[in-house]
Amino acid sequence: MLLYNVTLILEETAAEEWFNWMTEIHIPAVMATGMFASHRLLKVVDSPNEGVTYCAQYVADSQENYNEYQEKYAPALQEDLNAKFKNRFVAYRTLMEFVG
């Protein structure tokens, strides 16, 4: 199993709008792809960064599911994020493997 983690650092003025959009639109769209078994959304409480930091995490059962998500779905979903919150966030993505 793999954990796909998207960390976003948002301007404080965008955080509430982003949170609502994320929980009502984006996460349901990601999960509707069928490529992930579960998800969670976390807020970083001790971030050294200015703004508000969140981590959206998605669990994929296989590398194949993750790859299919990246090829078929991620570009459009990321473009939606970029269009809606342009210049109000920084994001970085990591893929991790469960080992224990």
Side-chain angles (χ1 to χ4, degrees):
M1 290 192 352
L2 301 169
L3 178 73
Y4 175 47
N5 182 83
V6 182
T7 301
L8 294 106
I9 305 165
L10 299 138
E11 291 181 358
E12 286 190 33
T13 57
E16 184 178 349
E17 179 186 1
W18 175 87
F19 180 84
N20 292 334
W21 174 81
M22 193 72 170
T23 57
E24 295 170 11
I25 296 169
H26 187 77
I27 290 174
V30 171
M31 295 307 294
T33 67
M35 298 296 107
F36 297 103
S38 64
H39 75 280
R40 69 184 75 131
L41 183 60
L42 304 108
K43 183 177 181 181
V44 178
V45 295
D46 64 349
S47 177
N49 304 303
E50 284 190 30
V52 182
T53 303
Y54 284 95
C55 295
Q57 299 182 335
Y58 305 93
V59 176
D61 289 331
S62 67
Q63 183 73 48
E64 291 76 19
N65 282 1
Y66 172 78
N67 291 345
E68 185 173 341
Y69 173 77
Q70 288 298 326
E71 292 169 15
K72 290 186 178 179
Y73 305 105
L77 290 165
Q78 290 174 13
E79 180 54 38
D80 290 346
L81 170 68
N82 292 332
K84 185 151 185 71
F85 297 96
K86 186 175 183 168
N87 298 323
R88 298 194 291 166
F89 76 97
V90 174
Y92 60 94
R93 295 163 176 86
T94 51
L95 183 63
M96 296 170 263
E97 181 179 25
F98 286 88
V99 294

